[in-house]
Amino acid sequence: MSNELSNRIKSLPVSQTLAMAAKARELKNAGKDIISLSLGEPDFNTPDFIKNAAIEAINQDYNSYTPVDGYAELKDAICAKFKRDNNLEYTPSQIVVSTGAKQSIANIAQVLLNPGDEVILPAPYWVSYSAIATLCEAKFVEIPSSIDNDFKITPEQLEAAITPKTKMIFFNSPNNPSGSIYSEEEYRALAAVLEKHPQIYILSDEIYEHINYGSKLFSFAAIESMFDRTITVNGLAKAFAMTGWRIGYIGAPEWIAKACTKMQGQITSGTNCIAQRAAITAVSADPSEIKYMVEEFKNRRDLVLQLLGEIEGFKLNVPEGAFYVFPDISAFFGKTLKGKEIKNANDFSMFLLEEANVATVTGDAFGAPDCIRMSYAASELQLREAIKRIKEVCKLTSELV
Ligand code: GLU
């Protein structure tokens, strides 16, 4: 019997973040002393007040199917959060709760993109954006940026990337993997370009909004002319250390929210009942409740920048948010280690894994082939040890002769 897979799955790349995390886990289980800086996952525990809300929900017998778009109380709490943090006025009919922000993004792509549509991705971008666009048979159009302009794109670049086929732009600030945050002025300059092209929708992924080291938060949808064509994506994973709970949500024009609900109704139905009950507590919590995590991430960022800055060949920017550094390591291209040439970021990342036992993710996966991503959502001890090992192996590289 033939077991030929569909072209769809055959053309889908594996998620490099998840693949590297799985590889690190596998090596660890095999007894190797691996330090994994690959996955973007807070190393804190979910705060007790959220855990208690989940326990209470279990004891109150929340066990039935949930409304496909989320519990009414959760949608009300999300509307209040959007008002409180983002100055956005959504009504509950504009909210859809999903099984992680990743599902929210996949829903949006599925309901808006037709084959042949173009999706603009300011690079570097999170690995799954391009894969999700590809699944919809859309074409993704990268706008490159570089560490020299803090990995941000300009309005001129945006204008040049737009064609009559452009349907969407996937925008992400604070950015995974660069940690860059666009200012209100920068948002408005990009919006001025988009105003001239009313056929373009904006997916604004704000999942890292609370992991922010002092920049003023701003949302794309807060620009009046953008509100009716922006889908604001957020979730609980990063801010509340709830990656495994899988709660994401959107605020969107009602017709898009309805379409996402229809899509989700055929694919997964409503999100897990216990996680949703806990989410009501999390979303309603004052952001100061998680300040201790943000402060710790900032300390680690400063430490990592200082230690990596001592390694020749690592070019760094200062991330303003999220929990990644994204060094340009192209200075190592063309060098050799143990007779093996480092040709690209993938080789370099594999070299760190094999020689330093440190897992990172290649920048190719993020549309930035000169860089690697390192997550500093790890303990200070692990970060110090990882960078010490990296420094030692980098010293062993030599020029190609
Ligand atoms: N978003 C996180 C990351 O970039 C989690 C893994 C994933 O879903 O890609 O590492």
Side-chain angles (χ1 to χ4, degrees), residues 24-37:
R25 218 174 287 137
E26 197 182 293
L27 290 169
K28 251 190 220 172
N29 289 343
K32 273 205 152 192
D33 176 21
I34 301 287
I35 301 177
S36 182
L37 308 183

Side-chain angles (χ1 to χ4, degrees), residues 323-365:
F323 32 61
Y324 310 104
V325 281
F326 199 55
D328 180 322
I329 43 74
S330 57
F332 291 94
F333 299 171
K335 295 199 174 192
T336 57
L337 182 86
K338 295 187 179 164
K340 226 167 120 191
E341 186 184 348
I342 300 166
K343 290 194 225 60
N344 49 42
N346 192 44
D347 287 353
F348 188 74
S349 177
M350 292 319 288
F351 155 76
L352 294 184
L353 182 64
E354 281 157 20
E355 302 297 330
N357 283 346
V358 177
T360 58
V361 186
T362 174
D364 298 82

Side-chain angles (χ1 to χ4, degrees), residues 7 13 41 77 100 113 165 267 325 341 377:
N7 294 338
E41 169 156 66
L113 294 174
K165 288 188 174 165
I267 308 259
V325 281
E341 186 184 348

Side-chain angles (χ1 to χ4, degrees), residues 15 17-18 38-40 102 126-127 176 208 238 324 373:
S15 162
T17 47
L18 301 185
S38 56
L39 202 57
K102 197 183 270 188
W126 176 50
V127 293
N176 171 8
Y208 289 95
K238 313 297 179 181
Y324 310 104
R373 191 189 78 173

Side-chain angles (χ1 to χ4, degrees), residues 8 23 67 157 266 278-279 289 305:
R8 188 178 308 113
K23 197 170 182 121
Q157 284 181 296
Q266 291 287 25
E289 295 274 3
L305 287 179

